[in-house]
């Protein structure tokens, strides 16, 4: 299929439909309302369900219900709305329901602003809702990648029976880029024999997260952990840039920030400074092992983020605190310029030299 | 020999954990009888709440989902929109539906979601140990209003049927009681209508059941029945408030 020029949010909406995500619940919030606007027109054409709920609280519970009845369903929102969904997300995770949630991240905390940010990293990766659970988290760096990750997200949500988050900073939602909707093929999914679809010919199914017996709850917790361990083995995705030749520093950045870093690395290269980049595509599971390997060749690593430094902790864990991990970021909706990253790298290299002298 | 009384198929063969004199069991049974009589059991999904009936999925013999506190109408909406062929009902108490879940029930009703909402009103939070509910009667003593509900401070009990019946969207709204046989017979009739409207894909249906809570009211089961008669029914009239047939009556437009 030929490429078309689309705004990120609309492309995500179309990708959801093509991935047979034909049941979409939403509540308007900037900077992702275009997903809902697009689907309000497109979903009826595709024969799917579009419903604007009364709140994100309701929307996330609609997802719980629909997913529990075996329906492939999803939503999109942004920071404050995602916070309201956290309660239901914990229930969704506990009831082991496949749900896809797209967060087009705006700056925060609180009402914050509507400009791009990566400040929801911890909420997405470290929990957000209550209890022992994890989400599989994808972080696209382009509209094309966001479109490609949608079918993967649905597949993995159903394969693992676990919620999947797609974290795109505001840039991913708002910018226009050429995209191609490719055919994605996956192995057959297991049957949803656990879903509440009416008990004709079988024993009743119950979608539930209540376990008053501590041993039963612990058993559930351990079953969930086993899924997360499997994800860590099989689902890690990352991209490398400039790691195939000698480099003096390693940057770790995801989403739009990774693209800014690539430009910065190119500029540094013109000055004879060779820097490599690792871009996590999955934020959970995090590409810990690869970061550790790549960090062996440098004195320090730098995490570059549109936040006050959230992923940096995972980078530190990845290098097992054997090397210093520095941080550079802009936040509050400020998108760092490549020149700022160049300066941050040079400053650190200079500091390193000074330290050795 | 002709069978004149048996356990409905839609009710599991499990003893319930409800207190003596509690009417949850009656409400469960009525729902089960209605689903059997309408032949809906095998395509029904019940949404059970947070509250005393949190374990109701053990007592019903059909598919169930456990909702978070207050959100049963949103969960039901998700199921019904995704699978309109299923029969979906919610089962919520007064704290669940009229306090934390007020937004969800009002909007589900206003959208005309085609599920059946069963509302158990016993004027108190049961499972958490007898705290004040939005439906607690004026002057009623609870663990969080030990001097009795002070309407100057916390307002009057919310009448959910009256509130939902004011919505323009067509629906079936009826208040019944499940504390005495003469009311129970009418309650079953209302529940049957409610599920029939859903089966016919007609409208949102809401049945409020005035119920007892002897434990948290501090009354014997018999006195609790009396209390429903003398205190609740005068404030919460038992009647039909709205049905698709009478739609439009009294509307300004």
């Amino acid at each position: 299929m030929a490429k078309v020029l689309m705004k990120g949010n609309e492309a995500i909406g179309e990708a959801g439909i093509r991935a047979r995500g034909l049941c979409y619940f939403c509540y308007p919030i900037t900077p992702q309302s275009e997903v809902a606007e697009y689907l309000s027109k497109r979903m009826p054409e595709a024969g799917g369900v579009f419903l604007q709920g009364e709140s994100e609280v309701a929307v996330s519970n609609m997802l719980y219900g629909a997913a529990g009845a075996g329906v492939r369903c999803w939503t999109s929102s942004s920071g404050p709305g995602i916070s309201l969904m956290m309660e239901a997300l914990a229930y969704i995770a506990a009831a082991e329901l496949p749900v896809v949630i797209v967060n087009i991240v705006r700056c925060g905390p609180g009402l914050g602003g509507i400009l791009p940010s990566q400040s929801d990293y911890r909420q997405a990766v470290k929990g957000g809702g209550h209890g022992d659970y994890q989400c599989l988290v994808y972080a696209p760096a382009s509209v094309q990648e966001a479109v490609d990750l949608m079918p993967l997200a649905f597949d993995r949500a159903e394969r693992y029976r676990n919620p999947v988050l797609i974290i795109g900073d505001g840039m991913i939602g708002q910018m226009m880029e050429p995209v191609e909707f490719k055919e994605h093929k996956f192995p057959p999914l297991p049957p949803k024999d656990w879903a509440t679809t009416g008990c004709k010919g079988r024993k009743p199914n119950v979608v539930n997260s209540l376990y008053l017996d501590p041993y039963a709850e612990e058993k559930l917790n351990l079953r969930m952990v086993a899924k997360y361990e499997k994800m860590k083995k099989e689902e890690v995705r990352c991209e490398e840039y400039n790691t195939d030749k000698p480099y003096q520093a390693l940057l770790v950045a995801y989403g739009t920030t990774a693209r800014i870093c690539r430009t910065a690395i190119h500029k540094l290269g013109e000055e004879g400074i060779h820097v490599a980049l690792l871009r996590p595509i999955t934020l959970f599971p995090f590409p810990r092992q690869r970061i550790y390997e790549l960090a062996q060749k440098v004195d320090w690593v730098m995490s570059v983020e549109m936040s006050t430094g959230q992923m940096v902790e995972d980078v530190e864990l990845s290098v097992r605190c054997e090397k210093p991990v520095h941080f550079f970021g802009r936040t509050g909706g400020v998108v760092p310029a490549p020149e700022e990253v160049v300066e941050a790298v040079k400053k650190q290299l200079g500091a390193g030299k000074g330290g050795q002298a | 020999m002709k069978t004149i009384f048996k356990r409905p198929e839609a009710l599991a063969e499990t003893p319930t954990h409800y207190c003596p004199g509690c009417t949850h069991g009656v409400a469960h049974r009525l729902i089960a009888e209605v689903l059997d009589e309408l032949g809906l059991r095998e395509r029904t999904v019940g949404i059970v709440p947070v509250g005393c009936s949190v374990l109701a999925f053990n007592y019903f013999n059909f598919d169930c989902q456990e909702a978070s506190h207050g959100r049963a109408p949103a969960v039901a909406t998700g199921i019904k929109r995704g699978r309109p062929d299923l029969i979906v009902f919610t089962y919520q108490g007064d704290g669940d539906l009229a306090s934390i879940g007020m937004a969800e029930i009002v909007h589900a009703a206003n959208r005309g979601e085609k599920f059946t909402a069963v509302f158990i009103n016993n004027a108190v939070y049961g499972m958490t140990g007898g705290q004040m509910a939005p439906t607690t009667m004026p002057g009623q003593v609870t663990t969080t209003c030990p001097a009795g509900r002070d309407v100057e401070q916390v307002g009057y009990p919310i009448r959910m049927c009256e509130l939902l019946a004011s919505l323009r969207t067509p629906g079936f709204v009826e208040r019944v009681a499940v504390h005495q046989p003469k009311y129970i017979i009418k309650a079953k009739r209302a529940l049957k209508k409610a599920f029939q409207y859903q089966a016919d894909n007609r409208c949102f249906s809401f049945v409020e059941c005035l119920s007892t809570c002897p434990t948290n009211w501090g009354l014997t089961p018999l006195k609790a029945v009396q209390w429903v008669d003398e205190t609740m029914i005068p404030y919460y009239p038992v009647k039909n408030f709205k049905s698709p047939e009478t739609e439009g009556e009294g509307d300004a437009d």
Side-chain angles (χ1 to χ4, degrees):
Chain A
M1 193 195 142
K3 284 193 173 182
V4 285
L5 186 66
M6 282 184 94
K7 190 174 190 170
N9 282 334
E10 297 185 344
I12 287 167
E14 181 63 27
I17 284 185
R18 286 171 192 249
R20 295 182 11 265
L22 292 175
C23 186
Y24 172 83
F25 302 105
C26 64
Y27 188 83
I29 186 169
T30 308
Q32 65 75 50
S33 295
E34 294 89 349
V35 184
E37 288 169 350
Y38 182 83
L39 288 174
S40 69
K41 292 191 285 280
R42 187 72 179 84
M43 199 60 102
E45 287 172 10
V49 174
F50 170 90
L51 182 65
Q52 180 174 326
E54 64 270 34
S55 68
E56 288 90 346
V57 172
V59 162
S60 49
N61 282 282
M62 290 172 188
L63 293 172
Y64 177 96
V71 178
R72 183 173 272 202
C73 59
W74 64 294
T75 189
S76 55
S77 187
S78 187
I82 296 288
S83 291
L84 286 174
M85 293 182 183
M86 283 298 127
E87 181 201 32
L89 190 60
Y91 283 74
I92 287 166
E96 300 187 272
L97 300 178
V99 165
V100 173
I101 298 177
V102 179
N103 180 3
I104 300 298
V105 184
R106 56 191 262 178
C107 49
L111 210 44
I114 57 171
L115 293 171
S117 177
Q118 296 180 318
S119 52
D120 293 352
Y121 178 92
R122 283 199 198 100
Q123 184 192 49
V125 172
K126 307 295 180 187
H130 58 281
D132 267 336
Y133 80 94
Q134 299 255 213
C135 294
L136 183 54
V137 185
Y138 293 112
S142 67
V143 177
Q144 181 65 56
E145 192 173 35
V147 160
D148 290 339
L149 286 173
M150 284 298 287
L152 182 71
F154 281 113
D155 179 84
R156 293 302 189 264
E158 293 184 2
R159 209 168 285 286
Y160 284 94
R161 285 187 62 187
N162 202 69
V164 174
L165 304 184
I166 293 185
I167 302 296
D169 53 74
M171 295 282 271
I172 300 295
Q174 289 298 320
M175 70 182 165
M176 290 183 84
E177 285 192 309
V179 286
E180 186 183 355
F181 294 96
K182 302 166 198 160
E183 279 294 319
H184 294 264
K185 288 214 168 67
F186 300 99
L189 286 162
K192 293 180 176 177
D193 50 10
W194 44 265
T196 59
T197 53
C199 64
K200 192 176 171 63
R202 60 161 168 77
K203 283 186 176 167
N205 283 339
V206 178
V207 167
N208 176 39
S209 68
L210 177 74
Y211 294 87
L212 293 174
D213 171 7
Y215 299 104
E217 174 69 36
E218 188 184 47
K219 199 173 154 193
L220 167 76
N221 291 146
L222 295 177
R223 188 167 78 238
M224 289 166 71
V225 167
K227 292 198 291 194
Y228 308 144
E229 290 304 318
K230 189 162 187 264
M231 287 177 196
K232 286 180 190 171
K233 281 197 191 83
E234 297 177 11
E235 302 302 333
V236 175
R237 283 169 190 250
C238 58
E239 187 187 57
E240 294 172 24
Y241 182 62
N242 251 9
T243 54
D244 52 348
K245 45 199 166 205
Y247 50 92
Q248 296 156 264
L250 174 68
L251 304 185
V252 181
Y254 70 97
T256 300
T257 312
R259 294 171 71 172
I260 294 164
C261 285
R262 282 174 67 136
T263 307
I265 286 169
H266 184 72
K267 284 178 187 289
L268 285 161
E270 286 172 351
E271 297 180 40
I273 302 168
H274 299 291
V275 175
L277 169 73
L278 181 124
R279 175 173 76 87
I281 298 171
T282 49
L283 301 183
F284 180 85
F286 197 68
R288 284 190 182 188
Q289 183 57 30
R290 192 58 191 148
I291 290 173
Y292 181 76
E293 290 160 9
L294 294 174
Q296 297 309 305
K297 300 174 186 170
V298 291
D299 292 332
W300 52 264
V301 181
M302 182 180 282
S303 182
V304 186
E305 307 173 44
M306 281 193 276
S307 75
T308 54
Q310 300 194 14
M311 180 177 68
V312 62
E313 292 160 6
D314 280 333
V315 179
E316 280 172 342
L317 287 173
S318 300
V319 302
R320 303 172 201 173
C321 296
E322 290 175 11
K323 304 263 165 85
V325 175
H326 303 293
F327 168 74
F328 175 73
R330 295 298 303 267
T331 191
V334 180
V335 178
E339 292 73 18
E340 291 177 87
V341 179
V342 167
E343 280 314 304
V345 170
K346 280 185 176 173
K347 195 175 156 197
Q348 207 56 58
L349 283 170
K353 274 174 197 156
Q356 282 163 0
Chain B
M1 205 198 307
K2 195 185 168 203
T3 306
I4 55 164
F5 189 82
K6 64 176 173 102
R7 179 187 290 275
E9 203 184 352
L11 217 50
E13 287 194 38
T14 313
T16 70
H17 69 285
Y18 299 123
C19 304
C22 167
T23 45
H24 268 310
V26 176
H28 287 16
R29 181 173 175 108
L30 292 182
I31 291 168
E33 285 181 1
V34 164
L35 291 175
D36 278 7
E37 287 166 23
L38 296 175
L40 300 174
R41 185 187 74 91
E42 291 182 328
R43 57 184 179 113
T44 291
V45 183
I47 316 299
V48 306
V50 173
C52 283
S53 46
V54 70
L55 294 170
F57 54 76
N58 288 331
Y59 310 145
F60 290 128
N61 182 27
F62 44 77
D63 284 2
C64 284
Q65 291 198 16
E66 174 69 61
S68 56
H69 200 33
R71 317 297 172 220
V75 172
T77 297
I79 301 173
K80 198 69 189 178
R81 292 276 176 157
R83 288 289 308 267
D85 55 317
L86 296 175
I87 296 294
V88 180
F89 77 90
T90 56
Y91 189 99
Q92 294 179 275
D94 39 57
D96 192 310
L97 182 138
S99 187
I100 197 167
M102 180 60 101
E104 283 75 16
I105 189 63
V106 170
H107 284 277
N110 194 51
R111 285 191 303 264
E113 297 294 344
K114 292 181 183 62
F115 65 83
T116 301
V118 180
F119 172 40
I120 305 297
N121 179 4
N122 60 9
V124 77
Y125 280 78
M127 187 176 70
T128 45
Q131 295 80 16
M132 184 180 69
T135 52
T136 292
M137 297 304 296
Q140 183 185 339
V141 171
T142 75
T143 60
T144 51
C145 53
R149 180 180 184 136
D150 179 357
V151 296
E152 292 297 320
Q153 292 293 321
V154 297
Y156 284 85
I158 294 175
R159 295 177 171 119
M160 283 308 301
C161 282
E162 286 82 340
L163 193 155
L164 294 177
S166 74
L167 301 172
R168 178 66 186 86
T169 308
F172 174 77
V173 179
E174 186 157 326
R175 183 180 291 121
V176 299
V178 290
H179 66 307
Q180 281 184 19
K182 66 170 180 179
Y183 288 104
I184 292 171
I185 292 164
K186 285 183 186 164
K188 183 172 172 185
R189 225 174 279 155
L191 283 165
K192 200 161 183 176
K193 264 191 200 169
F195 278 100
Q196 190 64 57
Y197 283 125
Q198 182 181 173
D200 295 343
N201 201 30
R202 193 92 184 264
C203 62
F204 172 77
S205 48
F206 184 87
V207 180
E208 173 174 346
C209 304
L210 298 182
S211 300
T212 57
C213 185
T215 302
N216 287 305
W217 292 352
L219 299 174
T220 63
L222 274 179
K223 283 259 189 313
V225 166
Q226 223 175 334
W227 198 79
V228 174
D229 277 333
E230 290 167 5
T231 313
M232 291 185 80
I233 289 179
Y235 186 84
Y236 297 115
V238 171
K239 62 172 199 167
N240 178 272
F241 290 86
K242 191 180 170 105
S243 63
E245 287 82 11
T246 58
E247 213 51 58
E249 285 177 17
D251 272 334
D253 56 351

